[in-house]
Amino acid sequence: MPEKEVARSNPRSMFTLVGLALFAMVASNMITPTLYLYAAELGASLAFIGLIASAASAARLFSRIPMGLLSDRFGRRPLIRLGTIGVVGSLLMLYLALAPPQVLVAYAINTLAFMTIFTIGLTMASEIYSSHKVTGVSLFALSSSVAMFIAPGICSLLLLQFQIRETYLVASLIGLGGVLCSARTTAPPRSRTSMNIRRSLKNVLKDENVRFSAILEMFFSLGVNSIFIFLPLYLSDAFQFTSAEISLLFAVYSLAMVSIRIPLPRILRRLDERSMIGLGFFEYAAALMALPFSSSLVHFSMLLFASGMAHGIIFPSMALVVSRSGSLDLGLANSVYLGIGDLITIVAPPIVASFVQMLGYGPVYLATSIAMLIGLAYAAVKRG
């Protein structure tokens, strides 16, 4: 059957999509600073905490490509609505959890829901501004970073008065806003009427832009996981930082992402996205390398601001590279390259946890900084 291009949407569609992303991602990200601490409070060992991270990413990995294929063929709206409902349900499950296995199941559902919203939302953003992809991708990335900034701040304030468990109940109420926005989301036509999945996968895997971003995502995921999974434990164990202080540090990370993503569309009109990726990789590597030599809240705040700014540059730039793919299967293309990050998150945490037990946290951050420098070298070679 003939293939047809996605219809052009209007700015009102983008406004609704941004609202959905803000509510759902604020709710989902409110668990980031405290989830592994919460699991530890319920009796989880360091090895089980690594298993929680890996199991959630395994669920995300094995569902991401089918999700991309389904959204390309049956529409984005039903799946993104399902994602918002999943966020709310998973947060209520965390609130009611009594043991680490329940945290694992709830986090897996939350991860799947967030993945659905993020992947499909990113695809919809590039479709809404199909003639100005920089604008669409940057706006969606900005909304996600604003959510990442707001969420730890809300979490920090709540933790001054409430227990970790109770913050998840508040987060579920915030997530209801995303469910309401999903009912008003404009549904673009299917981008594919053909069901030739094998050909679609082959075309995406052969695309140079997808391969470039997928390889870089592998290195980038190592750095991000070392911060988001193990840094809260490092700060709590080595420096006795409170959960409120750790939440504040993640708010600084997200503030840096917001601060760079506001001017990013203008920057990307002057500099090509591959140059920006190289700059971001260098900055992230430098921040990771300095982490083991820091000891105060101020020092960690500076390093998380630097790494957050680098994150704010890297992700939209890689997404923009993928959006320039010639394939109509944009949902599948985004799923494939982001799936590499899921694979790393499955494999890396248990291995990293073993190294932490043997060597401590410092060598882990030095190793991940080297991985980021290898990614930088690859980006430089491909650009040349």
Side-chain angles (χ1 to χ4, degrees):
M1 297 180 68
E3 297 164 353
K4 56 185 178 181
E5 292 187 6
V6 176
R8 307 297 186 250
S9 300
N10 55 55
R12 181 176 296 181
S13 301
M14 192 69 204
F15 179 79
T16 304
L17 179 62
V18 166
L20 183 154
L22 282 172
F23 280 113
M25 291 185 182
V26 165
S28 183
N29 278 297
M30 280 180 65
I31 74 174
T32 301
T34 59
L35 178 75
Y36 301 112
L37 296 174
Y38 183 54
E41 285 182 3
L42 292 177
S45 65
L46 184 61
F48 194 86
I49 288 172
L51 179 62
I52 290 174
S54 295
S57 295
R60 182 171 56 191
L61 173 66
F62 291 117
S63 64
R64 195 187 285 274
I65 288 179
M67 191 74 67
L69 289 166
L70 288 172
S71 72
D72 285 332
R73 285 156 178 80
F74 300 105
R76 322 282 188 210
R77 184 178 178 181
L79 293 174
I80 203 167
R81 179 181 293 177
L82 183 63
T84 61
I85 294 171
V87 166
V88 174
S90 65
L91 289 165
L92 290 174
M93 290 177 66
L94 282 172
Y95 171 68
L96 298 171
L98 299 175
Q102 294 170 320
V103 174
L104 186 152
V105 173
Y107 185 46
I109 295 173
N110 186 276
T111 302
L112 283 172
F114 183 90
M115 175 273 296
T116 302
I117 295 167
F118 192 85
T119 305
I120 295 178
L122 180 65
T123 303
M124 292 173 67
S126 64
E127 291 170 343
I128 289 170
Y129 286 95
S130 56
S131 59
H132 300 283
K133 293 182 182 293
V134 170
T135 301
V137 170
S138 297
L139 281 174
F140 187 79
L142 176 61
S143 68
S144 68
S145 56
V146 168
M148 289 182 67
F149 170 62
I150 294 173
I154 296 173
C155 191
S156 294
L157 292 175
L158 291 173
L159 286 168
L160 296 175
Q161 188 67 32
F162 301 106
Q163 296 180 343
I164 292 176
R165 178 188 302 274
E166 294 164 333
T167 66
Y168 300 147
L169 179 61
V170 175
S172 70
L173 297 175
I174 294 172
L176 289 175
V179 177
L180 295 175
C181 287
S182 70
R184 301 182 61 85
T185 303
T186 302
R190 292 171 293 167
S191 61
R192 287 233 184 235
T193 54
S194 170
M195 293 299 292
N196 192 333
I197 295 173
R198 182 177 180 181
R199 186 178 66 181
S200 295
L201 277 170
K202 183 178 179 181
N203 289 340
V204 166
L205 294 173
K206 286 171 59 178
D207 190 277
E208 192 276 334
N209 289 331
V210 174
R211 291 202 306 268
F212 174 81
S213 293
I215 291 172
L216 289 179
E217 177 68 14
M218 176 178 66
F219 295 110
F220 183 45
S221 292
L222 285 171
V224 171
N225 282 323
S226 70
I227 288 181
F228 279 85
I229 296 176
F230 293 99
L231 187 60
L233 301 171
Y234 175 42
L235 297 177
S236 178
D237 292 346
F239 304 102
Q240 288 73 54
F241 282 15
T242 66
S243 55
E245 289 172 329
I246 293 170
S247 294
L248 177 63
L249 287 172
F250 279 93
V252 169
Y253 186 102
S254 301
L255 175 62
M257 292 175 65
V258 173
S259 68
I260 191 60
R261 284 180 177 174
I262 291 173
L264 192 60
R266 292 193 297 272
I267 296 173
L268 285 170
R269 291 189 185 100
R270 295 174 178 269
L271 297 174
D272 69 276
E273 54 266 24
R274 297 194 181 213
S275 297
M276 295 299 292
I277 289 170
L279 175 63
F281 265 70
F282 177 79
E283 186 176 357
Y284 213 103
L288 287 171
M289 193 171 293
L291 276 175
F293 305 102
S294 301
S295 57
S296 71
L297 185 64
V298 173
H299 291 160
F300 283 113
S301 296
M302 294 172 62
L303 293 177
L304 284 180
F305 189 88
S307 56
M309 184 170 288
H311 191 153
I313 292 171
I314 293 169
F315 175 76
S317 299
M318 291 201 302
L320 189 57
V321 171
V322 174
S323 74
R324 301 194 189 284
S325 168
S327 172
L328 285 176
D329 292 279
L330 187 54
L332 178 60
N334 282 320
S335 296
V336 167
Y337 106 85
L338 291 171
I340 298 299
D342 298 335
L343 181 61
I344 294 301
T345 309
I346 295 169
V347 175
I351 297 174
V352 173
S354 299
F355 275 100
V356 167
Q357 290 175 328
M358 290 188 297
L359 304 173
Y361 289 96
V364 168
Y365 287 109
L366 293 176
T368 51
S369 69
I370 293 172
M372 292 293 292
L373 291 175
I374 294 172
L376 171 62
Y378 171 80
V381 168
K382 283 297 181 179
R383 187 174 182 273

